[in-house]
């Protein structure tokens, strides 16, 4: 009897993923999403990616650092367009609180609905916080395997003990150095994937913003 092929879908909290990237890299630095995805696919072959994120605003009132972060995030988000099997779901910032809206709820509902309507067999959750804990528990109730894939600076420990498997993508050796020691002691069983991507940079100038490879 043939073994059925599993349908594997990744649910990516893009804003949180960029935040983890910014925790390690310098303001204005970024790498393309395809490099992160390729690292994950060394261990898990993903059939489809649902990516959720909110573009930051870089206006004249922000600091240079904030502008660099916003511009780097834009380049990172825009790089998802090169991944054919990816759908981008865009959130927004609240005009009153300034907080991101329409991302966590959207992502969690998509995970839960997909589980109960049997549109996937395995959910790969890419996030660094525990807001999606209930969605993960719901997916498991419907018999779905769940894999937490975290960028090394941000690991959702509360979710790590609920999912079926844990993957840590170690950006520039953060996890294997002293900076990741507290995570290693608590996480115990997990898969570790090294990520040393090609770092790109954006620049803020008076006349225009331009993009160039790092080191030039």
């Amino acid at each position: 009897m043939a073994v059925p092929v599993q349908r594997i879908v990744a649910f990516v909290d893009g804003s949180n993923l960029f935040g983890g990237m910014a925790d390690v890299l310098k303001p204005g630095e970024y790498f393309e999403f395809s490099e992160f995805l390729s690292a994950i696919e060394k261990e898990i072959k993903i059939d489809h990616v649902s990516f959720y994120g909110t573009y930051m605003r870089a206006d004249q009132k922000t600091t240079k650092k904030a502008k660099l972060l916003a511009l780097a995030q834009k380049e990172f988000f825009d790089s998802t367009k090169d991944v054919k099997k990816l759908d981008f779901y865009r959130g927004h910032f609240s005009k009153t609180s300034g907080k991101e809206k329409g991302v966590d709820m959207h992502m969690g509902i998509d995970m839960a609905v997909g589980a109960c309507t049997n549109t996937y067999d395995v959910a790969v959750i890419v996030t660094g916080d525990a807001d999606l804990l209930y969605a993960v528990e719901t997916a498991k109730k419907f018999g779905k395997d769940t894999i937490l894939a975290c960028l090394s600076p941000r690991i959702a420990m509360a979710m790590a003990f609920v999912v079926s498997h844990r993957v840590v993508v170690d950006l520039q050796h953060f996890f294997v150095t002293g900076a990741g020691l507290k995570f290693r002691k608590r996480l115990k069983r997990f898969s570790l994937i090294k990520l040393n991507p090609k770092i790109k940079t954006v620049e803020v100038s008076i006349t225009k913003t331009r993009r160039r490879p790092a080191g030039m």
Side-chain angles (χ1 to χ4, degrees):
M1 182 177 178
V3 178
V5 177
Q6 289 189 312
R7 299 159 298 170
I8 303 177
V9 176
F11 297 90
V12 181
D13 183 344
S15 297
N16 190 277
L17 179 59
F18 177 78
M21 180 194 306
D23 289 342
V24 176
L25 304 182
K26 298 176 182 178
E29 292 185 338
Y30 71 99
F31 53 85
E32 295 188 354
F33 177 74
S34 60
E35 293 203 58
F36 177 82
L37 183 61
S38 294
I40 293 288
E41 291 196 310
K42 290 178 181 177
E43 181 157 333
I44 311 160
K45 180 60 179 177
I46 294 170
D47 298 302
H48 184 75
V49 180
S50 293
F51 188 102
Y52 306 79
T54 304
Y55 280 83
M56 297 177 185
R57 296 185 295 268
D59 56 38
Q60 296 300 316
K61 297 180 181 179
T62 58
T63 63
K64 181 179 179 180
K65 179 179 179 180
K67 289 180 182 179
L68 286 170
L69 285 171
L71 292 168
Q73 188 219 44
K74 180 182 184 303
E75 295 293 342
F76 175 63
F77 280 6
D78 286 352
S79 73
T80 62
K81 297 174 183 177
D82 296 329
V83 181
K84 293 182 179 179
K85 58 185 176 183
L86 181 146
D87 288 323
F88 192 112
Y89 299 98
R90 187 167 180 170
H92 65 278
F93 287 106
S94 169
K95 293 182 179 179
T96 53
S97 67
K99 294 182 178 180
E100 183 181 48
K101 300 293 182 181
V103 170
D104 289 343
M105 182 69 75
H106 192 167
M107 186 172 167
I109 290 175
D110 284 353
M111 283 177 56
V113 171
C116 69
T117 57
N118 196 34
T119 59
Y120 65 82
D121 301 302
V122 181
V124 179
I125 307 101
V126 180
T127 187
D129 60 49
D131 291 344
L132 296 167
L133 183 58
Y134 185 65
V136 170
E137 292 172 341
T138 300
K140 293 185 69 175
K141 287 179 181 178
F142 283 91
K144 307 305 179 185
D145 284 334
T146 53
I147 301 172
L148 178 64
C150 298
L151 195 63
S152 51
R154 297 191 177 190
I155 298 177
M157 295 305 300
M159 286 176 57
F161 299 106
V162 176
V163 295
S164 309
H165 186 60
R166 293 149 292 280
V167 174
V168 176
V169 180
D170 192 12
L171 176 59
Q172 295 188 338
H173 311 292
F174 180 93
F175 194 75
V176 297
T177 62
L181 183 60
K182 63 178 181 179
F183 293 129
R184 298 202 306 274
K185 286 182 176 179
R186 295 184 61 195
L187 203 55
K188 297 181 180 179
R189 290 182 297 176
F190 59 91
S191 297
L192 185 65
I193 300 173
K194 296 179 181 179
L195 177 61
N196 292 295
K198 180 181 179 181
I199 304 301
K200 298 182 177 181
T201 65
V202 295
E203 290 184 346
V204 174
S205 65
I206 296 175
T207 57
K208 62 179 181 179
T209 300
R210 60 189 180 91
R211 172 183 173 184
R212 62 177 177 80
M216 291 185 65

